[in-house]
Amino acid sequence: MSMEGIVYRPAVPADFEAIEVLTLVAYFDLPESRHDEHAAIATLRQDSALSASWVAEHESYIVGHLAASPVTLSDGGRGWHALGPMAVGPGHRGHGLGGQLLRHVLAQLEGTGAAGCVIAAGPRALFQAAGFAPEPGLTLDGQPLLARAFGDRLPPLAEVALHPALAGG
C-alpha cells in the first residue's frame, strides 16, 4: 500500500466510533496491551484531557490515530504531554502512518506552546527517530521515559503522573 490518498487531520466527533474500533483491532494481538486502550481514549475525551487527537484517513476509513494528554510533573512544571495510545490498522502498518501522525501531533503541541512530550509505551524506534531520547531524570514509577523537549527547553527532573485512564487506574 502506498501513502497516496492518506489524509491526516484532527479527529472530529464523527470519528469517535471508528477510533474505538480501530484501537480495539490494533491492540487485539499485542501481548503488552492491557486491552483497554480504546476506553482510555474515550475517558480522556470525556474528561476533556486530550491535548491532541489526530487521525489518518484512507478512502473514508480511519486507519490510524494518535492521542496526547497533559501530564502532571512532581516539580510543578507545566506544558508536558504524554503521547498515546497510538493505533494503526494491521493492514496499514509499516508504511509510515505512525510517523506521520507523530509529526502532526508534535507540530500541533509545539505550535500551542507545549514544553515537550513523553512516551510511556510504544514503538521506541519510531519515537527515537523523531528526536525522543531516554531521560534518566524524567521518570514514571521510577523508570526513565523517552522524552522530547521543544525549542531550547531542557527536560525537567521530575516524576511524571499520567491521567488515571492511562495509568491503569
Side-chain angles (χ1 to χ4, degrees), residues 25-50:
V25 169
Y27 284 89
F28 179 76
D29 61 352
L30 295 180
E32 66 273 15
S33 171
R34 296 185 339 220
H35 302 292
D36 66 352
E37 292 84 1
H38 64 290
I41 295 167
T43 300
L44 291 168
R45 188 180 311 113
Q46 290 163 0
D47 291 353
S48 298
L50 282 174

Side-chain angles (χ1 to χ4, degrees), residues 4-156:
E4 284 186 40
I6 305 285
V7 175
Y8 299 91
R9 59 175 175 76
V12 297
D15 300 328
F16 295 167
E17 186 176 336
I19 290 168
E20 180 176 353
V21 171
L22 168 72
T23 306
L24 279 165
V25 169
Y27 284 89
F28 179 76
D29 61 352
L30 295 180
E32 66 273 15
S33 171
R34 296 185 339 220
H35 302 292
D36 66 352
E37 292 84 1
H38 64 290
I41 295 167
T43 300
L44 291 168
R45 188 180 311 113
Q46 290 163 0
D47 291 353
S48 298
L50 282 174
S51 45
S53 179
W54 278 72
V55 296
E57 183 179 6
H58 184 245
E59 297 179 356
S60 301
Y61 291 96
I62 302 301
V63 297
H65 176 255
L66 176 57
S69 56
V71 299
T72 303
L73 299 177
S74 62
D75 70 354
R78 303 178 61 84
W80 281 80
H81 301 262
L83 296 181
M86 174 188 280
V88 175
H92 291 82
R93 293 180 186 157
H95 300 285
L97 271 75
Q100 287 289 345
L101 283 166
L102 179 58
R103 282 185 276 286
H104 285 286
V105 168
L106 292 174
Q108 176 186 331
L109 293 173
E110 187 171 14
T112 58
C117 294
V118 297
I119 306 298
R124 292 179 68 88
L126 172 72
F127 294 112
Q128 288 176 316
F132 285 80
E135 290 295 340
L138 193 55
T139 58
L140 176 67
D141 298 327
Q143 297 300 310
L145 293 171
L146 288 180
R148 177 177 163 184
F150 294 134
D152 59 359
R153 295 177 177 95
L154 295 175

